[in-house]
């Protein structure tokens, strides 16, 4: 086993949190598919329940395989620890539910994944948590939205799918002036492209379903804590800085100066809401993370080629990637995301919504489905799928038009991806000339009349 | 949260939420440079729930405690003695980690028979700090903190059980404690106090209780052999000495929490 000598990102991606199994010598992390763990004695059992000794009790709370994943993500993000959850949405919910209850208020970016927008705008409102949405680049709007009840700022490293880059240092500063933490969704970027905690964010989470696992096989989430936010000094978080009746009056910020959020999230959120991750899922995500640096490099290389192709294609009206100087976040991306702003982006074709549909249906290599961050290339029409619950105004705020198409660039040969896109763009162009079946039927009916 | 007024300033002690009980024995936990009470989280919580009064301190000027940050081991030892007086603890076991081990030693020497046990975790004497590290602590504390955190870790797989990453937690705690005192560079002041302490053998000669050393086999900060001078001094003074070696680095309490607790429990069980 390697010793600790300030290892780099690629080494941490392979080794952080893992060691050969002390019982069997197994080099790969074992999958501990067990609900529970035998106690050494009654005293040991009581000590585990009372957080006096390290170890595992019940896999809803913690599990050895999951703990490896949690340490690994914490290491890659530069955090103090992490918690694996059933999905990215579960990670977001766990973070919010740990920090506030009814009466709480969130200030969030308008440029969010549709599912996150849905949770904040509709579902949490039903539970008494309000959200004010602000354009991610409008720093005055972030500041103006703060209320006495505000408990959290929330945004995505790059907005889905417009790729508005969140100015993490600036937004974090405003959050901290208001006495609240900044939570960042880094799903589309992964820690290989950006480490939000180092830039000032306090909490970061991923849908590990995407780039961390990388193969489109599992659902999972993980939330990491930077340990930087002072819950006591803020005065807004009795959940972490005052005695908690649900755990014998424990004051989490007293138990752990830098891990209070994680303690409460695990001891309350995982315990009571129960959105835990299966150890088998954790293992698959660990498999993915082992090659994360290699995959991300290839994702970025392919994305650059595809973006260049689309940007120069006469049937493409707009390409929304910060690689291009025309993108509003180009300069900020150069500063915060020097390795690239991700391989999920959108573009608009010069044509009708029907032509957009024709484009998607003509693709052969790209898979038409609702996911991103797969090793295979993917395509979807956000306005009618991932973001379909949003109003036109909210869609515009997120940078989505009726003709917008989202791509997730995979690891195939870039030339094959470009050939597929070229063929589909041609098909879309031709479809404008060819009457649709419906139009043909209408024309025939009219002729008959 | 438990605060005692010591030398006119509020001093924070983690007690696991329990009030001081004069009928119970007391153990004081003393942290090292740029740390706070939470480095003893598991051990202090366990003992507080197994018959002990626990006083896991934030040293003056550190984290939640106010007052002037100690500039020497001797000043810090005076604080520990004053704390016990303020609490009303007639006797106490003293446990210290790294710099805290020297503070515990010096306090035990001053307390004489009032000290029931002396536990020195990750200790060395002399505890010299390289001029380069002292300079870095003064001028580039973030760089020095990273250096110390790297040297303190011995594994990429600490047995946290609950997803904590020891390296990241060490960095975050160091940054937080550094920020907690706007007047004093606690990293530089603490290292200077370690470096300049010269009373180790004299203090050990005055100690009247059994002594336990808990040393990390892979400790790059305070290698096991660096504790031999004090162990020999204790033996020469006729003290009962135990040495327990755990297979980790300088983060004995977090990299080997169970082994460290077992060593403490076994030693404290001795009258």
């Amino acid at each position: 086993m390697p010793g600790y000598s300030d290892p780099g990102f690629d080494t941490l991606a392979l080794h952080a949190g893992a060691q050969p199994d002390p019982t069997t010598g197994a080099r790969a992390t074992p999958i501990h598919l067990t609900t529970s763990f035998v106690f050494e004695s009654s005293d040991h059992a009581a000590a585990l329940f009372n957080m006096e000794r390290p170890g595992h009790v019940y896999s809803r709370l913690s599990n050895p395989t999951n703990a490896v994943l949690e340490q690994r993500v914490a290491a890659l993000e530069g955090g103090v620890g992490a918690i694996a959850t059933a999905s990215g949405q579960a990670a977001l919910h766990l973070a919010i539910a740990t920090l506030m209850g009814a009466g709480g208020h969130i200030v969030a970016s308008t440029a969010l994944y549709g599912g996150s927008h849905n949770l904040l705008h509709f579902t949490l409102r039903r539970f008494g948590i309000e959200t004010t949405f602000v354009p991610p680049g409008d720093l005055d709007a972030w500041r103006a939205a703060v209320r006495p009840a505000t408990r959290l700022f929330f945004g995505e490293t790059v907005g889905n799918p417009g790729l508005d880059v969140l100015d993490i240092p600036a937004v974090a500063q405003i959050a901290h002036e208001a006495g609240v933490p900044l939570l960042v969704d880094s799903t589309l970027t992964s820690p290989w492209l950006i480490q939000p905690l180092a830039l000032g964010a306090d909490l970061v989470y991923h849908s590990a379903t995407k780039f961390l696992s990388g193969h489109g096989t599992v659902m999972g989430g993980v939330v990491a804590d930077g340990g930087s936010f002072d819950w006591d000094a803020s005065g807004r978080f009795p959940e972490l800085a005052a005695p908690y009746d649900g755990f014998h009056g424990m004051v989490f910020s007293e138990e752990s100066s830098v891990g209070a959020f994680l303690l409460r999230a695990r001891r309350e959120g995982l315990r009571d809401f129960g959105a835990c991750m299966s150890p088998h899922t954790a293992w698959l995500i660990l498999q993915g993370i082992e090659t994360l640096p290699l995959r991300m490099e290839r994702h970025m290389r392919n994305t650059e080629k595809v973006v260049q192709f689309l940007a120069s294609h006469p049937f493409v009206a707009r390409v929304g990637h910060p690689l291009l100087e025309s993108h509003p976040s180009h300069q900020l991306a150069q500063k915060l995301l020097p390795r690239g702003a991700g391989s999920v982006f959108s573009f608009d074709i010069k044509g009708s919504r029907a032509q957009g549909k024709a484009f998607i249906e003509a693709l052969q290599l790209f898979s038409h489905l609702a996911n991103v961050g797969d090793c295979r290339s993917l395509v979807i029409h956000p306005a009618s799928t991932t973001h379909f619950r949003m109003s036109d105004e909210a869609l515009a705020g997120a940078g989505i038009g009726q003709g917008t198409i989202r791509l997730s660039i995979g690891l195939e040969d870039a030339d094959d991806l470009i050939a597929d896109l070229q063929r589909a763009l041609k098909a879309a162009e031709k479809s404008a000339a060819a009457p649709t079946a419906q139009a043909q039927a209408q024309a025939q009916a009219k002729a008959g009349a | 949260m438990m605060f005692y007024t010591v030398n006119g300033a509020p001093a924070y002690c983690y007690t696991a939420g329990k009030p001081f009980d004069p009928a119970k024995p007391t153990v004081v936990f003393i942290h090292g440079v740029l740390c706070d009470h939470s480095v003893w989280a598991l051990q202090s919580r366990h003992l507080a729930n197994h018959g002990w009064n626990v006083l896991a301190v934030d040293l003056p000027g550190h984290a939640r405690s106010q007052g002037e940050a100690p500039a020497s081991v001797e000043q810090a030892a005076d604080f520990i003695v004053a704390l016990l007086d303020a609490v009303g603890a007639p006797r106490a076991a003293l446990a210290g980690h790294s710099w805290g081990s020297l503070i515990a030693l010096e306090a035990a020497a001053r307390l004489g028979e009032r000290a029931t046990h002396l536990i020195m975790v990750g200790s060395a004497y002399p505890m010299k700090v390289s001029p380069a590290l002292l300079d870095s602590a003064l001028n580039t504390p973030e760089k020095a903190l990273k250096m110390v955190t790297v040297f303190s870790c011995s594994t990429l797989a600490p047995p946290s059980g609950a997803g904590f990453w020891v390296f990241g937690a060490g960095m975050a705690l160091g940054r937080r404690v550094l920020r907690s005192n706007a007047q004093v560079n606690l990293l530089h002041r603490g290292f200077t106090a370690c470096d300049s302490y010269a009373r180790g053998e004299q203090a050990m000669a005055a100690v009247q209780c059994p002594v336990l050393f808990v040393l990390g086999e892979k400790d790059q900060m305070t290698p096991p052999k660096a504790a031999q001078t004090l162990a020999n001094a204790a033996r020469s003074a006729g003290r009962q000495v135990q040495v327990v070696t755990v297979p980790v680095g300088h983060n004995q309490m977090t990299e080997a929490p169970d082994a460290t607790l077992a060593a403490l429990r076994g030693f404290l069980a001795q009258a």
Side-chain angles (χ1 to χ4, degrees), chain B residues 107-188:
Chain B
R110 289 160 194 237
L111 288 166
E113 288 186 347
R114 289 182 69 190
T116 61
H117 306 74
L118 172 60
I119 299 166
M120 305 185 73
V121 183
S123 192
Y125 181 79
M127 198 174 278
K128 288 307 206 188
V129 181
S130 76
L133 185 52
L134 277 172
D135 180 68
S136 181
L138 182 63
N139 298 306
T140 52
E142 172 76 13
K143 186 179 167 191
L145 171 63
K146 185 170 183 187
M147 203 184 307
V148 170
T149 309
V150 167
F151 288 159
S152 295
C153 292
S154 70
T155 175
L156 289 170
S160 75
F164 277 103
W165 173 240
V166 169
F167 177 82
M171 288 296 296
L173 181 60
R175 288 180 184 131
R176 178 170 299 219
V177 175
L178 196 62
R179 279 199 310 268
S180 73
N181 193 325
Q183 280 75 45
V184 174
N185 177 333
L186 293 174
L187 183 57
H188 184 257

Side-chain angles (χ1 to χ4, degrees), chain A residues 290-305:
Chain A
E290 289 181 358
T291 57
L292 179 71
L294 302 172
R295 287 187 289 107
M296 290 307 296
E297 194 172 7
R298 178 64 173 264
H299 277 299
M300 292 305 100
R301 204 161 65 228
N302 278 359
T303 298
E304 194 171 340
K305 289 177 181 172

